[in-house]
Amino acid sequence: MPDIQPQIRRVREVLGALVRASGSKLTPIERQIGVSRGYMSRLLQGRSHLKLEHLLAILAVLKVAPREFSDLAFPPVAEPSKLVSDIRDIVLPAAPPPRAATTRPTSPARLWTADEIQDIVLRTLENLDDPRDPPPARRRR
């Protein structure tokens, strides 16, 4: 069996970063997806196996599309595998053809750490205007 531990670890890191950045507590998420108390903690610590149904349910609770999660956890590759190319028309018959890249990447896509993702999300949230703040004063001309 191929070593998939790095990908599993990556999924847990990104999922944990999303949960932390959302500000959600674990217990309400557990209640909403119908798992026992403590499951999320065990899952994020790597002490419990993640089921696909649970991942999709957690993403739904966080209002994150599976594609968004996938793109965070596994950045797109420059060239799809032959297998994906062969079945794309069967699986996605109505999808437009993929856009051709204007330039080929010279290096592999960078994987962000969970801490980096959390920092980016927190900085973005800090830069948003609070709707409760009064609008800035206008200058007179």
Side-chain angles (χ1 to χ4, degrees):
M1 178 194 258
D3 180 20
I4 59 171
Q5 290 309 308
Q7 291 89 347
I8 292 171
R9 191 170 27 260
R10 179 77 182 148
V11 165
R12 281 194 173 100
E13 288 173 354
V14 173
L15 188 59
L18 287 170
V19 169
R20 286 190 302 276
S22 75
S24 298
K25 300 289 184 200
L26 300 181
T27 303
I29 294 173
E30 292 165 339
R31 198 174 303 122
Q32 289 180 355
I33 67 171
V35 295
S36 64
R37 192 164 187 266
Y39 171 79
M40 290 290 297
S41 179
R42 290 189 307 274
L43 171 71
L44 297 175
Q45 293 172 5
R47 296 186 339 228
S48 183
H49 293 287
L50 174 62
K51 292 182 178 182
L52 179 59
E53 305 88 60
H54 293 162
L55 174 61
L56 295 174
I58 294 165
L59 293 176
V61 169
L62 297 176
K63 296 181 176 44
V64 173
R67 175 64 185 262
E68 292 176 302
F69 177 80
S70 173
D71 286 349
L72 281 174
F74 309 106
V77 295
E79 294 289 326
S81 68
K82 180 174 179 353
L83 178 61
V84 169
S85 296
D86 289 348
I87 69 163
R88 177 170 273 137
D89 292 335
I90 297 167
V91 175
L92 303 171
R99 292 184 290 174
T102 54
T103 59
R104 289 191 73 127
T106 56
S107 62
R110 181 180 186 279
L111 290 178
W112 297 86
T113 66
D115 289 337
E116 289 172 322
I117 293 169
Q118 185 175 4
D119 288 343
I120 291 167
V121 170
L122 291 175
R123 277 184 285 157
T124 302
L125 292 173
E126 287 171 358
N127 290 330
L128 294 176
D129 291 330
D130 186 338
R132 296 172 294 193
D133 290 342
R138 293 188 178 191
R139 292 185 186 175
R140 293 185 181 221
R141 293 184 187 203

